[in-house]
Amino acid sequence: MKVLLTGAAGFIGTHIGRIAGERGHDVRRLDLYLEKAHGTGGERDPRVARLDLRSDRLDEIVADVDVVCHQAAMVGNGVDAQDLPDYAEHNDAGTARLLAAMARVGARDLVLASSMVVYGDGRYTCPEHGDVPPATRREDDLSAGRYDPRCPVCAGPIEWRRIDESTPFLPRTSYAASKVAQEHYASAWCTLEDARAIALRYHNVYGPGMPADTPYAGVAAIFRSSIARGEAPRVFEDGRQVRDFVHVHDIALANVLAVEQVSAHRGGLTAYNVASGHPTTIGEMARTLAAAAGAPEPVVTGEYRRFDVRHVVASPDAARDSLGFSAEVRPEDGLAALATDPLRTR
């Protein structure tokens, strides 16, 4: 199968290209080598052509491929609202131009990198009002060390629950908003072109080759970079925030399974959560990393940012049932290995 892989030089794209090649696929690799992700120097993979989805002509590139696996994006949550234009231009305009080119040449199959951030904070259950979205966290609660959100109806306590792919979007950051837009563009393209797309909503991805500490790095990379400097990881809030950390090998495997099956999917966009199925807290993750590296114990700081997600854990059942995907790397094993895995330095 001929596969066009965008973002092929990135953290996740590199692993997708490797697994797809091992499974016998002919992979055409593209990447912008965006400075925020790749820096200005360093070696370039000779298999990866440099291309800007926002401006370069794409028709010839997509004309003879069987499926497009679209990973190219600015990642991270964004630092503040000033990042909104960059996310819109790279993630959304780039995706729209790619889809337009696919329409011109009749390419009909897409696998799209999405994210659990489209859900915002997770969903919760109130003893009185049932399943609810969380109310916005209050400054007086946060400053007093009460970090869990309240019921939006009665302001009482609520418990987090796993969410599935039908959960409404509630993006909270520049990156999240751009991922929602990418899914909407892909869905519209499917309708207009009678095409098929699979959107994979990644949970917290980690593993070898992840970018080192930058303003756009995830919490696992930030903790890992602290350990490399001989410092204790600094954990915000009380460390009890719940996440699902999924190894990059499993993210890559899910993509290749989707690439191999998208043509048999029904028309339109189908989304799947890609998660390990083994939720853990950020504090537990930090302790696992520190212990494996022989580093100082994590420091729970009580610092907070009001817009941060408290808990988000999604069910991996649909990906298992429809794609045959189940994560192979358990978090306790993968996170311990991350203590010594090489990171990408800019």
Side-chain angles (χ1 to χ4, degrees), residues 76-77 84 87-88 91-92 117-120 169-185:
N77 284 325
L84 282 165
Y87 280 97
N91 297 2
D92 303 333
V117 297
V118 298
Y119 302 124
F169 294 153
L170 286 173
R172 300 163 67 96
T173 65
S174 306
Y175 177 61
S178 74
K179 284 295 170 183
V180 170
Q182 282 185 309
E183 287 203 29
H184 284 164
Y185 276 117

Short mmCIF file of all heavy atoms in Angstrom, two decimals, residues 76-77 84 87-88 91-92 117-120 169-185:
data_model
loop_
_atom_site.label_atom_id
_atom_site.label_comp_id
_atom_site.label_asym_id
_atom_site.label_seq_id
_atom_site.Cartn_x
_atom_site.Cartn_y
_atom_site.Cartn_z
N GLY A 76 1.48 20.50 21.50
CA GLY A 76 1.48 21.21 22.77
C GLY A 76 0.18 21.99 22.94
O GLY A 76 -0.64 22.09 22.03
N ASN A 77 -0.01 22.54 24.11
CA ASN A 77 -1.26 23.25 24.38
C ASN A 77 -1.24 24.70 23.94
O ASN A 77 -2.27 25.35 23.90
CB ASN A 77 -1.59 23.20 25.88
CG ASN A 77 -2.11 21.84 26.30
OD1 ASN A 77 -2.81 21.20 25.52
ND2 ASN A 77 -1.76 21.40 27.49
N LEU A 84 -2.75 31.38 19.13
CA LEU A 84 -3.91 30.98 18.32
C LEU A 84 -3.65 31.08 16.82
O LEU A 84 -3.97 30.15 16.08
CB LEU A 84 -5.14 31.81 18.72
CG LEU A 84 -5.84 31.39 20.01
CD1 LEU A 84 -6.78 32.51 20.48
CD2 LEU A 84 -6.62 30.10 19.82
N TYR A 87 -1.42 28.11 15.51
CA TYR A 87 -2.11 26.82 15.47
C TYR A 87 -3.12 26.78 14.33
O TYR A 87 -3.26 25.76 13.64
CB TYR A 87 -2.79 26.55 16.81
CG TYR A 87 -1.84 26.03 17.86
CD1 TYR A 87 -1.25 26.87 18.79
CD2 TYR A 87 -1.50 24.68 17.92
CE1 TYR A 87 -0.36 26.40 19.74
CE2 TYR A 87 -0.61 24.20 18.85
CZ TYR A 87 -0.04 25.06 19.77
OH TYR A 87 0.84 24.58 20.70
N ALA A 88 -3.84 27.88 14.14
CA ALA A 88 -4.82 27.92 13.05
C ALA A 88 -4.16 27.79 11.69
O ALA A 88 -4.64 27.07 10.81
CB ALA A 88 -5.64 29.21 13.13
N ASN A 91 -2.09 24.00 11.65
CA ASN A 91 -2.91 22.79 11.81
C ASN A 91 -4.16 22.83 10.95
O ASN A 91 -4.51 21.83 10.31
CB ASN A 91 -3.29 22.61 13.28
CG ASN A 91 -2.07 22.40 14.16
OD1 ASN A 91 -0.94 22.41 13.69
ND2 ASN A 91 -2.30 22.20 15.45
N ASP A 92 -4.83 23.97 10.92
CA ASP A 92 -6.13 24.01 10.25
C ASP A 92 -6.03 24.40 8.78
O ASP A 92 -6.56 23.71 7.91
CB ASP A 92 -7.07 24.95 11.01
CG ASP A 92 -7.21 24.54 12.47
OD1 ASP A 92 -7.06 23.33 12.76
OD2 ASP A 92 -7.45 25.40 13.33
N VAL A 117 -7.48 16.08 23.76
CA VAL A 117 -7.72 17.45 24.20
C VAL A 117 -9.00 18.04 23.61
O VAL A 117 -9.49 19.07 24.09
CB VAL A 117 -6.52 18.37 23.88
CG1 VAL A 117 -5.28 17.92 24.63
CG2 VAL A 117 -6.26 18.46 22.39
N VAL A 118 -9.55 17.41 22.56
CA VAL A 118 -10.82 17.92 22.02
C VAL A 118 -11.93 17.87 23.06
O VAL A 118 -12.89 18.65 23.00
CB VAL A 118 -11.26 17.14 20.76
CG1 VAL A 118 -10.22 17.29 19.65
CG2 VAL A 118 -11.54 15.68 21.04
N TYR A 119 -11.81 16.97 24.06
CA TYR A 119 -12.83 16.85 25.09
C TYR A 119 -12.70 17.90 26.18
O TYR A 119 -13.60 18.07 27.00
CB TYR A 119 -12.75 15.47 25.76
CG TYR A 119 -12.90 14.30 24.83
CD1 TYR A 119 -11.92 13.31 24.77
CD2 TYR A 119 -14.02 14.14 24.03
CE1 TYR A 119 -12.04 12.21 23.95
CE2 TYR A 119 -14.15 13.05 23.19
CZ TYR A 119 -13.16 12.08 23.15
OH TYR A 119 -13.30 10.99 22.33
N GLY A 120 -11.56 18.59 26.24
CA GLY A 120 -11.31 19.49 27.36
C GLY A 120 -11.14 18.68 28.64
O GLY A 120 -10.52 17.62 28.64
N PHE A 169 -17.35 18.01 22.27
CA PHE A 169 -16.10 18.75 22.32
C PHE A 169 -16.21 19.94 23.27
O PHE A 169 -17.20 20.68 23.25
CB PHE A 169 -15.74 19.30 20.93
CG PHE A 169 -15.42 18.24 19.90
CD1 PHE A 169 -15.62 18.51 18.56
CD2 PHE A 169 -14.92 17.01 20.27
CE1 PHE A 169 -15.32 17.56 17.59
CE2 PHE A 169 -14.60 16.06 19.31
CZ PHE A 169 -14.80 16.34 17.97
N LEU A 170 -15.18 20.16 24.07
CA LEU A 170 -15.07 21.35 24.93
C LEU A 170 -13.60 21.79 24.96
O LEU A 170 -12.94 21.70 26.00
CB LEU A 170 -15.57 21.07 26.35
CG LEU A 170 -17.08 20.95 26.55
CD1 LEU A 170 -17.38 20.50 27.98
CD2 LEU A 170 -17.77 22.29 26.26
N PRO A 171 -13.05 22.27 23.83
CA PRO A 171 -11.62 22.60 23.79
C PRO A 171 -11.30 23.77 24.72
O PRO A 171 -12.08 24.71 24.85
CB PRO A 171 -11.39 22.96 22.33
CG PRO A 171 -12.73 23.43 21.84
CD PRO A 171 -13.73 22.59 22.56
N ARG A 172 -10.09 23.69 25.32
CA ARG A 172 -9.69 24.70 26.30
C ARG A 172 -8.40 25.43 25.92
O ARG A 172 -8.00 26.35 26.63
CB ARG A 172 -9.48 24.03 27.66
CG ARG A 172 -10.70 23.34 28.22
CD ARG A 172 -10.33 22.37 29.34
NE ARG A 172 -9.82 23.04 30.51
CZ ARG A 172 -10.56 23.35 31.57
NH1 ARG A 172 -11.84 23.06 31.59
NH2 ARG A 172 -10.02 23.95 32.62
N THR A 173 -7.74 25.03 24.85
CA THR A 173 -6.45 25.61 24.48
C THR A 173 -6.39 25.83 22.97
O THR A 173 -7.24 25.33 22.22
CB THR A 173 -5.29 24.69 24.88
OG1 THR A 173 -5.38 23.48 24.11
CG2 THR A 173 -5.31 24.36 26.37
N SER A 174 -5.35 26.54 22.54
CA SER A 174 -5.15 26.77 21.11
C SER A 174 -5.04 25.45 20.36
O SER A 174 -5.65 25.26 19.29
CB SER A 174 -3.86 27.57 20.88
OG SER A 174 -3.86 28.76 21.63
N TYR A 175 -4.24 24.56 20.88
CA TYR A 175 -4.04 23.26 20.24
C TYR A 175 -5.35 22.48 20.17
O TYR A 175 -5.69 21.90 19.13
CB TYR A 175 -2.98 22.48 21.01
CG TYR A 175 -2.72 21.08 20.50
CD1 TYR A 175 -2.26 20.86 19.21
CD2 TYR A 175 -2.92 19.98 21.32
CE1 TYR A 175 -2.01 19.58 18.75
CE2 TYR A 175 -2.67 18.69 20.87
CZ TYR A 175 -2.22 18.50 19.58
OH TYR A 175 -1.98 17.22 19.13
N ALA A 176 -6.07 22.46 21.28
CA ALA A 176 -7.34 21.72 21.31
C ALA A 176 -8.32 22.26 20.28
O ALA A 176 -8.98 21.50 19.56
CB ALA A 176 -7.94 21.78 22.71
N ALA A 177 -8.43 23.57 20.19
CA ALA A 177 -9.34 24.18 19.22
C ALA A 177 -8.93 23.81 17.79
O ALA A 177 -9.79 23.54 16.93
CB ALA A 177 -9.36 25.69 19.39
N SER A 178 -7.62 23.75 17.54
CA SER A 178 -7.16 23.40 16.19
C SER A 178 -7.47 21.95 15.86
O SER A 178 -7.77 21.61 14.70
CB SER A 178 -5.68 23.69 16.04
OG SER A 178 -4.87 22.74 16.72
N LYS A 179 -7.41 21.06 16.85
CA LYS A 179 -7.72 19.66 16.60
C LYS A 179 -9.21 19.45 16.34
O LYS A 179 -9.60 18.62 15.50
CB LYS A 179 -7.25 18.80 17.78
CG LYS A 179 -5.74 18.59 17.78
CD LYS A 179 -5.31 17.78 16.56
CE LYS A 179 -3.83 17.72 16.36
NZ LYS A 179 -3.43 17.00 15.15
N VAL A 180 -10.05 20.19 17.05
CA VAL A 180 -11.49 20.15 16.75
C VAL A 180 -11.73 20.60 15.32
O VAL A 180 -12.49 19.96 14.56
CB VAL A 180 -12.27 21.04 17.73
CG1 VAL A 180 -13.73 21.19 17.28
CG2 VAL A 180 -12.24 20.45 19.15
N ALA A 181 -11.09 21.69 14.92
CA ALA A 181 -11.27 22.18 13.55
C ALA A 181 -10.79 21.17 12.52
O ALA A 181 -11.44 20.96 11.49
CB ALA A 181 -10.53 23.51 13.38
N GLN A 182 -9.66 20.50 12.78
CA GLN A 182 -9.17 19.49 11.85
C GLN A 182 -10.20 18.38 11.67
O GLN A 182 -10.46 17.94 10.53
CB GLN A 182 -7.86 18.89 12.35
CG GLN A 182 -6.64 19.75 12.12
CD GLN A 182 -5.38 19.02 12.53
OE1 GLN A 182 -5.26 18.50 13.64
NE2 GLN A 182 -4.40 18.98 11.64
N GLU A 183 -10.78 17.92 12.76
CA GLU A 183 -11.81 16.87 12.63
C GLU A 183 -13.01 17.38 11.84
O GLU A 183 -13.58 16.65 11.01
CB GLU A 183 -12.24 16.37 14.01
CG GLU A 183 -11.21 15.51 14.70
CD GLU A 183 -11.83 14.60 15.76
OE1 GLU A 183 -13.02 14.22 15.61
OE2 GLU A 183 -11.13 14.27 16.74
N HIS A 184 -13.41 18.62 12.07
CA HIS A 184 -14.57 19.16 11.35
C HIS A 184 -14.27 19.32 9.86
O HIS A 184 -15.12 19.02 9.01
CB HIS A 184 -14.98 20.49 11.97
CG HIS A 184 -15.71 20.35 13.27
ND1 HIS A 184 -15.90 21.38 14.15
CD2 HIS A 184 -16.32 19.27 13.83
CE1 HIS A 184 -16.58 20.97 15.19
NE2 HIS A 184 -16.84 19.69 15.03
N TYR A 185 -13.07 19.79 9.52
CA TYR A 185 -12.70 19.88 8.11
C TYR A 185 -12.70 18.49 7.46
O TYR A 185 -13.19 18.31 6.33
CB TYR A 185 -11.33 20.52 7.95
CG TYR A 185 -11.34 22.03 7.96
CD1 TYR A 185 -10.68 22.73 8.96
CD2 TYR A 185 -12.00 22.74 6.97
CE1 TYR A 185 -10.69 24.13 8.98
CE2 TYR A 185 -12.01 24.13 6.98
CZ TYR A 185 -11.36 24.81 7.98
OH TYR A 185 -11.37 26.18 7.99
#
